[in-house]
Amino acid sequence: MTAYTATVTVRLKRGVLDPEAETTQRALERLGFELEDLRSADRFEIDLDAESVAAAEERADEMAERLLANPTIHDYEVGVTER
């Protein structure tokens, strides 16, 4: 077994209301920053042991599908690095 860190980034799909991002975008614009769009995201870092990078990615993907993200309203990305 090898030690890995899986990073799961979860964000709302485009078109789904994101009040946190809207509030932050307005605040940034009031501070003088020009931006086209802003979206919020949650990032989960999961330390786990697995046989391979592919196995660690598969487990993290299952975690995202079953709990970390709601596939109806969220997109998510999984990245895995060896610790």
Side-chain angles (χ1 to χ4, degrees):
M1 293 282 220
T2 305
Y4 295 99
T5 297
T7 303
V8 180
T9 304
V10 180
R11 66 181 56 85
L12 291 168
K13 291 183 176 187
R14 291 208 181 271
V16 176
L17 292 178
D18 188 348
E20 180 182 7
E22 289 173 12
T23 300
T24 304
Q25 181 173 347
R26 283 194 305 272
L28 286 169
E29 289 169 342
R30 280 194 303 273
L31 290 171
F33 293 99
E34 294 181 26
L35 53 148
E36 192 172 311
D37 194 20
L38 183 101
R39 294 179 9 185
S40 62
D42 291 321
R43 178 177 159 169
F44 301 91
E45 293 183 1
I46 305 160
D47 292 335
L48 54 103
D49 292 327
E51 295 292 329
S52 65
V53 170
E57 190 171 290
E58 185 177 317
R59 285 182 53 204
D61 189 68
E62 183 179 357
M63 291 177 199
E65 285 284 331
R66 293 181 64 187
L67 179 69
L68 302 177
N70 175 345
T72 304
I73 61 169
H74 293 120
D75 288 325
Y76 66 90
E77 298 170 0
V78 175
V80 175
T81 56
E82 192 172 327
R83 278 189 283 134

